[in-house]
Amino acid sequence: MKFIVKLHPEVMIKSKPVRIRFSKLLVSNIRNVLRKVDEDIRVRFNWDHIVVTCRTERDGLRDELVERLSCIPGIAYFLEVTQHRFDSIDDIYQACQSIFADELAGKTFCVRVKRSGKHEFSSLDVERYVGGGLNQNTDAAGVKLKDPDMTIHIQIEEDIAYLVECRHPGLGGFPIATQEDVLSLISGGFDSGVSSFQTIKRGARTHYCFFNLGGAEHERGVQEVSYYLWNKFGNSHKVRFLSVPFEPVVEEILEKVDNGQMGVVLKRMMMKVAGKVADRFGIPALVTGEAMGQVSSQTLTNLNVIDRATDKVVLRPLITWDKQEIIDLSRTIGTLPYAEVMPEYCGVISNKPTVKAILAKIEAEEAKFSDDLVDRVVEATQYYDIRDLAMVGKIESDKVEMETVATPGSGEVVLDIRAPEEEEESPLELVDNEVVTLPFFKLASQFSALPQDKTYLLYCDRGVMSKLQALYLQEQGHSNIKVYRP
């Protein structure tokens, strides 16, 4: 199984050094994503395209690879191809005959060839020879160079011909990590989910910051949509999910701020807190789902006042979008089902909210707050690795208890399930117990191959992923599982 990946046009027009850097990042991203599906995937860069090769044969693998490739930023489109070595043009024709003869019956067609390398023939020679042969020796309705029913695409590299069986659209945009990191202020609604997708697509590693105004259930809902966005479009890189307990801020706003100014003050406090937590991770920009004029706090005057609460760049990908456009894209990318059931927690509702806030007046209102309010909220913020969110809600809502041990018993095997790069950076070394490394994404397929007369203690840095995988293995009928938390 082989795919030829074409880079997004905006990457192709970059200067040579930038183009090479972007291309290498895309190669790395593709490799990181696809090796979670098949660890034997091979990814190779050729100046204007990338070749992905998979030798594994498994039901459903092809569809999964196509799905993953279609969601990786930086890919314009990719071709599903078969590979054929040749000594002559006739070899290429014979390969096309065997693959396309039945499909050509009753259809007009043309042949299009792209060629690289040194050959005794031109691309046009191949098009004429293959097209003439197929026209004479199949039930095709004839050659038609303009608007044919079917176009046969052939790519030739040296002594290899790639016959294109299917062309799949890509996501476009830039490869992730070609731009600097951003922190998306996500509420779980239509706007914040779509704006987060837009920055992922544009090549920014997108972290998520949630201001909790609705309790544990609201947080779990936002965790689900954040994890979905990362897992579908951005899982070539690790990102963080930040949960900010914002009730103390809302409480002081309701007690101390003039009613008409509440909405703008709330947004400014979010910017202040988000800016401080972004500083902790060196993130230079914040992202919001605001659209001009959508609500009272989103007039140009108010947005200007809100932006002055932080020295971070504030990105608003949806600033000129209509609501229906946002909803339509949320349906396309898959966040609509989450947004439709997400409760709205406004925190504060102003009577006659200002649409032309005055900075001096807003700052006077904020001066009424406790001096340490922002610092207390920042200090109480919880930080998650995005990968852990797959099971945080499950553990909390189901109240599942998984046996956790701090010291392994005699004969128990510690199973290090961290990603390879984490394990290599900080190897787990024990004196009295065997340590086996098996990354979490291989557990489902390889755990059963381990000796089942032993007890395995799953280990990861934070203890969350190990609980998730232990629960999964338990559901599969394995009772010889515990979690190791030294």
Side-chain angles (χ1 to χ4, degrees):
M1 196 183 322
K2 192 177 293 287
F3 302 93
I4 295 178
V5 176
K6 295 292 186 176
L7 284 67
H8 186 58
E10 285 190 66
V11 176
M12 299 294 289
I13 63 174
K14 298 293 184 184
S15 65
K16 183 176 179 180
V18 174
R19 179 176 172 179
I20 291 175
R21 180 171 67 86
F22 278 29
S23 298
K24 288 182 176 179
L25 281 169
L26 181 55
V27 168
S28 177
N29 294 350
I30 292 173
R31 187 178 291 120
N32 288 343
V33 171
L34 297 190
R35 283 189 174 174
K36 296 174 184 177
V37 179
D38 178 10
E39 62 183 21
D40 293 325
I41 285 287
R42 296 292 180 266
V43 185
R44 176 170 55 87
F45 172 54
N46 284 344
W47 182 236
D48 67 341
H49 65 273
I50 296 167
V51 179
V52 177
T53 305
C54 175
R55 293 187 172 88
T56 304
E57 294 185 6
R58 170 165 58 84
D59 290 344
L61 179 59
R62 176 261 182 194
D63 292 341
E64 192 168 358
L65 292 176
V66 169
E67 169 67 19
R68 293 293 182 123
L69 281 170
S70 67
C71 294
I72 297 176
I75 297 176
Y77 62 91
F78 56 99
L79 308 172
E80 191 172 352
V81 302
T82 55
Q83 176 179 309
H84 305 269
R85 290 194 177 274
F86 66 89
D87 295 316
S88 66
I89 297 180
D90 188 67
D91 293 337
I92 300 174
Y93 158 68
Q94 295 296 338
C96 290
Q97 167 77 12
S98 64
I99 293 175
F100 299 115
D102 293 340
E103 192 177 353
L104 283 171
K107 298 178 181 177
T108 59
F109 75 98
C110 71
V111 179
R112 294 287 181 248
V113 176
K114 290 186 178 181
R115 183 179 57 86
S116 63
K118 295 183 179 181
H119 304 94
E120 295 180 352
F121 52 80
S122 67
S123 298
L124 186 58
D125 292 335
V126 179
E127 291 177 356
R128 288 171 173 169
Y129 188 95
V130 173
L134 293 175
N135 190 39
Q136 293 177 19
N137 299 295
T138 68
D139 294 328
V143 174
K144 186 179 180 183
L145 299 182
K146 186 176 181 180
D147 297 326
D149 297 326
M150 179 176 171
T151 300
I152 295 174
H153 293 278
I154 305 172
Q155 291 205 182
I156 298 173
E157 294 180 11
E158 301 299 342
D159 63 342
I160 298 176
Y162 297 105
L163 307 187
V164 180
E165 295 190 338
C166 189
R167 171 175 167 149
H168 302 279
L171 194 62
F174 288 152
I176 292 180
T178 57
Q179 312 303 312
E180 296 174 88
D181 288 14
V182 299
L183 181 64
S184 177
L185 280 56
I186 189 163
S187 66
F190 296 103
D191 304 341
S192 61
V194 172
S195 62
S196 299
F197 165 77
Q198 292 290 73
T199 55
I200 294 172
K201 180 180 175 181
R202 201 60 186 168
R205 188 166 64 152
T206 301
H207 306 268
Y208 303 92
C209 181
F210 167 61
F211 293 93
N212 195 340
L213 303 175
E217 290 300 322
H218 188 201
E219 180 171 345
R220 277 195 286 270
V222 178
Q223 286 176 343
E224 286 180 0
V225 69
S226 300
Y227 180 84
Y228 171 84
L229 284 165
W230 168 79
N231 189 49
K232 189 171 183 65
F233 303 108
N235 74 353
S236 57
H237 291 74
K238 293 185 294 184
V239 302
R240 295 178 176 88
F241 178 89
L242 285 57
S243 178
V244 182
F246 220 53
E247 294 91 342
V249 175
V250 173
E251 182 179 348
E252 294 212 17
I253 289 176
L254 292 172
E255 290 178 353
K256 301 176 180 180
V257 174
D258 175 74
N259 191 280
Q261 316 299 319
M262 287 183 175
V264 174
V265 171
L266 177 69
K267 292 294 183 68
R268 278 175 55 87
M269 294 301 288
M270 288 180 174
M271 291 295 181
K272 287 182 180 181
V273 173
K276 284 185 174 291
V277 296
D279 280 337
R280 292 192 173 189
F281 303 106
I283 300 174
L286 308 178
V287 179
T288 80
E290 292 163 316
M292 185 166 56
Q294 192 173 101
V295 295
S296 61
S297 65
Q298 294 173 19
T299 63
L300 290 180
T301 298
N302 287 353
L303 291 176
N304 180 34
V305 171
I306 290 169
D307 284 0
R308 293 169 184 261
T310 178
D311 59 359
K312 300 292 182 185
V313 176
V314 181
L315 304 176
R316 296 184 172 90
L318 312 181
I319 191 66
T320 63
W321 288 39
D322 295 335
K323 192 67 176 184
Q324 190 58 51
E325 292 176 311
I326 297 170
I327 292 173
D328 290 344
L329 184 53
S330 73
R331 179 180 293 107
T332 299
I333 66 177
T335 57
L336 179 72
Y338 300 96
E340 284 181 324
V341 298
M342 192 68 62
E344 288 287 344
Y345 292 95
C346 299
V348 297
I349 300 176
S350 299
N351 294 322
K352 298 182 179 180
T354 180
V355 294
K356 290 189 177 181
I358 300 171
L359 180 60
K361 187 173 182 179
I362 294 295
E363 289 176 337
E365 294 294 326
E366 292 174 351
K368 301 174 184 178
F369 291 150
S370 303
D371 293 338
D372 64 343
L373 177 60
V374 171
D375 291 336
R376 281 191 286 116
V377 171
V378 170
E379 190 61 32
T381 297
Q382 293 181 298
Y383 305 90
Y384 299 92
D385 184 311
I386 192 74
R387 297 170 299 177
D388 297 341
L389 300 189
M391 51 73 69
V392 169
K394 177 176 175 59
I395 290 179
E396 292 180 356
S397 61
D398 293 350
K399 296 182 173 58
V400 176
E401 294 294 331
M402 176 60 61
E403 184 176 356
T404 302
V405 300
T407 304
S410 177
E412 292 181 334
V413 178
V414 175
L415 198 58
D416 188 343
I417 67 168
R418 293 175 295 172
E421 63 270 21
E422 293 177 315
E423 190 275 328
E424 290 173 5
E425 183 178 340
S426 179
L428 180 64
E429 298 178 354
L430 299 178
V431 176
D432 299 323
N433 294 83
E434 179 185 3
V435 177
V436 175
T437 60
L438 185 62
F440 65 92
F441 50 84
K442 296 183 181 179
L443 275 176
S445 60
Q446 297 186 19
F447 180 80
S448 298
L450 297 175
Q452 294 301 304
D453 57 346
K454 297 182 179 181
T455 298
Y456 293 92
L457 278 56
L458 273 58
Y459 169 79
C460 69
D461 287 334
R462 295 163 298 277
V464 183
M465 182 63 73
S466 54
K467 286 184 180 179
L468 167 64
Q469 297 299 331
L471 288 168
Y472 173 79
L473 292 174
Q474 190 179 67
E475 290 173 356
Q476 302 305 307
H478 299 287
S479 59
N480 55 336
I481 299 296
K482 299 178 184 178
V483 172
Y484 176 47
R485 291 292 293 155

